[in-house]
Amino acid sequence: MFEKVLIANRGEIALRLHRACREMGIRTVAVHSTADTDAMHVRLADEAVCIGPPAAMDSYLNIPSILAAAEITGSDGIHPGYGFLSENAEFAHIVEEHGYTFIGPSEQHIRIMGDKIQAKQTVRELGIPVVPGSEGAVSDPEEAKALAEDMGYPVLIKAASGGGGRGMKLVRQADEFAAALEAARTESKAAFNDDAVYLEKYLERPRHIEVQVIGDGTGKVVHLGERDCSLQRRNQKVLEEAPSPALNDAARKAIGQTVVEALSKIKYTSLGTVEFLYEDGEFYFIEMNTRLQVEHPVTEAITGIDLVREQIRIAAGAPLSFDQDDIRFSGHAIECRINAEHPRTFVPSPGLVGDFHAPGGLGVRVDSGLYAGYRIPPYYDSLIAKLVVHGSTRNDCLMRLNRALGEFVIDGIEVNIPLHADLIQQQNFIDGDYHIHWLEEFLEQQE
Ligand code: ADP
């Protein structure tokens, strides 16, 4: 087992990783920018090293600084969290080259799945159904247009290196296509330094359903059920739940099995999430994330499994501690992403936190590094807390969530708690009847 793990991240996930390590008797090293000196995980870690100025390029993405911190602290494992360097195959490679263990999947799997075109080709060959679209990258406008016409409008132009809901262009009719393709390639080059784009049939009313997996590198892979992440704004998740209100046991088992069989063939190691759009009873793969996800706690709530602990154990060379038959799903869980932003305009609202009170009680979990008097720096993502509620049924979970949101106090800044409180009162949401565009349509109606 590791003796000392360096946490190459910040915010609530850095705290989550610290907590898992502490419970496993592993010492922790926080690396942080000058803007995060007062962060909760920096205070709690056994050691802390400042690795640079606020800009992520100079700190959380600064590989030489992170490795230097690993060396001076004598760390043996490096956990990248999510975002930042978590899906950077080069980073995984360099970490291992220098004799540290990268707590995550193999460099090769990160690389394959990081290129969405290659990812789609790979999983299709492994037997996973994908969204209909171009076979590979498209660059020639005439050829691309012919493909789009065959597929039928609307089509989505997507960046091969895209992420975080960015790098997509919707085209509804043929005469918009050439300009959209050009714009997509230019934007993709600017954002991801890669102008490769591909086409996908645009699904009008799908749900986003993703399957959580874990493998130990021996070919043994277990799935931990699905999460429904259909409540999105600008292709970014706002609230997630497990299990999905749209799936029955048979559908859950079938997609779980398909994913497990596919990933067993490549001997997948560590945590991974296979993302699908789900429409009219059919699953269509969109991408695979080779890392711990923001929304992992809903899976932990319904399975009782500590995903981070398992991920660390596997990285240390241990086999999976359970079989598929050991997994029992219990009750229902919902996560609300609490952001420092105005609940209607979504304008970010960093700054000084006044009073702070997190809800508690049975079935309520809050993952957050916030405390009264903490100043949220303006340089990073606006996610400041995750409220995760578990109940024996979906209805119990909703009642508890309503209660917990009502107790949550974060003063001094704008937060999106009122939006969540509003959302969970909507009849469509109560009925579990929503799709990936539902939230944006709801927001438009409110204007
Ligand atoms: P990213 O890596 O940027 O998150 P994804 O491919 O995972 O990109 O897609 C993010 C979101 O964009 C999906 O959850 C869905 O809401 C929307 N989306 C992606 N592909 C399609 C598609 N073919 N049709 C409709 N919506 C899509």
Side-chain angles (χ1 to χ4, degrees):
M1 190 42 69
F2 299 106
E3 297 213 332
K4 201 186 269 188
V5 165
L6 181 145
I7 298 167
N9 214 297
R10 66 177 301 282
E12 67 84 20
I13 200 65
L15 182 58
R16 170 73 186 91
L17 301 176
H18 164 80
R19 285 173 169 161
C21 289
R22 198 32 87 75
E23 290 174 15
M24 296 173 82
I26 300 169
R27 298 177 67 74
T28 56
V29 176
V31 291
H32 62 91
S33 74
T34 50
D36 279 335
T37 308
D38 296 329
M40 171 95 84
H41 79 280
V42 173
R43 294 182 172 195
L44 292 177
D46 293 292
E47 288 165 75
V49 181
C50 182
I51 51 166
M57 278 306 289
D58 301 322
S59 50
Y60 297 104
L61 295 171
N62 184 338
I63 297 176
S65 291
I66 293 169
L67 285 180
E71 178 160 0
I72 57 172
T73 55
S75 300
D76 47 1
I78 299 184
H79 198 307
Y82 55 66
F84 294 126
L85 295 167
S86 61
E87 289 174 295
N88 183 322
E90 191 57 25
F91 179 60
H93 176 77
I94 293 171
V95 165
E96 297 275 334
E97 280 254 286
H98 284 76
Y100 307 104
T101 301
F102 178 78
I103 304 178
S106 72
E107 169 200 343
Q108 182 208 4
H109 291 155
I110 299 173
R111 187 163 280 129
I112 293 172
M113 299 302 172
D115 177 334
K116 292 167 128 186
I117 294 173
Q118 217 188 330
K120 267 182 98 170
Q121 278 165 352
T122 305
V123 304
R124 190 174 45 207
E125 281 160 19
L126 292 170
I128 293 179
V130 302
V131 187
S134 59
E135 288 280 329
V138 292
S139 50
D140 176 45
E142 287 312 311
E143 197 187 314
K145 197 167 169 180
L147 267 175
E149 257 144 50
D150 281 351
M151 228 183 284
Y153 289 93
V155 298
L156 200 56
I157 307 175
K158 297 175 73 169
S161 300
R166 292 175 306 141
M168 286 179 232
K169 281 236 171 313
L170 174 61
V171 191
R172 290 220 171 253
Q173 32 190 62
D175 59 1
E176 298 166 359
F177 189 81
L181 180 69
E182 182 59 32
R185 296 190 59 190
T186 312
E187 282 174 27
S188 174
K189 179 81 189 164
F192 312 110
N193 195 28
D194 174 12
D195 65 1
V197 297
Y198 62 107
L199 304 185
E200 251 176 25
K201 176 80 195 148
Y202 179 73
L203 302 181
E204 296 277 2
R205 290 251 173 301
R207 299 182 81 108
H208 173 118
I209 296 182
E210 57 186 35
V211 178
Q212 175 70 59
V213 295
I214 185 161
D216 63 11
T218 65
K220 181 170 170 182
V221 176
V222 169
H223 78 83
L224 299 168
E226 82 284 3
R227 294 181 287 259
D228 195 319
C229 313
S230 305
L231 275 196
Q232 302 183 354
R233 183 178 160 267
R234 297 199 172 158
N235 301 319
Q236 288 192 30
K237 299 161 187 169
V238 171
L239 174 155
E240 302 94 346
E241 62 179 314
S244 168
L247 292 194
N248 59 28
D249 279 347
R252 173 169 305 115
K253 217 170 166 176
I255 192 63
Q257 213 161 331
T258 302
V259 166
V260 162
E261 276 167 23
L263 295 177
S264 303
K265 289 185 205 154
I266 58 168
K267 296 193 166 64
Y268 189 76
T269 315
S270 193
L271 294 174
T273 297
V274 183
E275 297 192 334
F276 294 95
L277 296 179
Y278 178 74
E279 195 172 61
D280 300 330
E282 301 288 335
F283 284 96
Y284 305 95
F285 171 90
I286 43 172
E287 70 162 341
M288 176 165 184
N289 292 322
T290 50
R291 57 170 160 83
L292 178 68
Q293 303 263 121
V294 175
E295 60 272 23
H296 75 276
V298 291
T299 301
E300 297 186 320
I302 64 160
T303 61
I305 292 170
D306 182 334
L307 290 183
V308 177
R309 184 187 186 97
E310 284 298 320
Q311 188 187 28
I312 294 172
R313 282 186 63 255
I314 286 167
L320 262 174
S321 64
F322 44 77
D323 296 319
Q324 190 66 56
D325 290 344
D326 297 326
I327 308 300
R328 296 272 175 277
F329 300 113
S330 151
H332 198 92
I334 299 181
E335 170 181 282
C336 293
R337 296 192 186 200
I338 311 293
N339 296 333
E341 66 189 15
H342 189 281
R344 290 293 163 177
T345 63
F346 302 98
V347 172
S349 178
L352 186 64
V353 177
D355 276 351
F356 177 80
H357 173 80
L362 185 64
V364 177
R365 163 176 173 183
V366 175
D367 279 20
S368 175
L370 244 55
Y371 55 87
Y374 173 67
R375 184 175 287 280
I376 299 166
Y379 313 102
Y380 311 107
D381 192 89
S382 60
L383 180 77
I384 49 167
K386 301 188 309 204
L387 169 61
V388 186
V389 169
H390 185 228
S392 53
T393 62
R394 188 168 185 270
N395 190 51
D396 288 352
C397 184
L398 283 175
M399 297 294 281
R400 182 166 283 158
L401 180 55
N402 192 35
R403 184 273 285 173
L405 284 166
E407 286 177 20
F408 217 146
V409 177
I410 306 175
D411 282 346
I413 55 164
E414 297 280 2
V415 291
N416 63 349
I417 292 173
L419 175 67
H420 284 293
D422 202 4
L423 282 180
I424 65 166
Q425 308 281 354
Q426 301 306 311
Q427 197 58 46
N428 283 143
F429 185 72
I430 293 170
D431 296 339
D433 175 20
Y434 59 90
H435 51 80
I436 59 169
H437 307 298
W438 183 88
L439 176 56
E440 290 194 343
E441 289 171 7
F442 167 76
L443 292 168
E444 273 167 30
Q445 284 162 17
Q446 309 276 302
E447 276 169 9

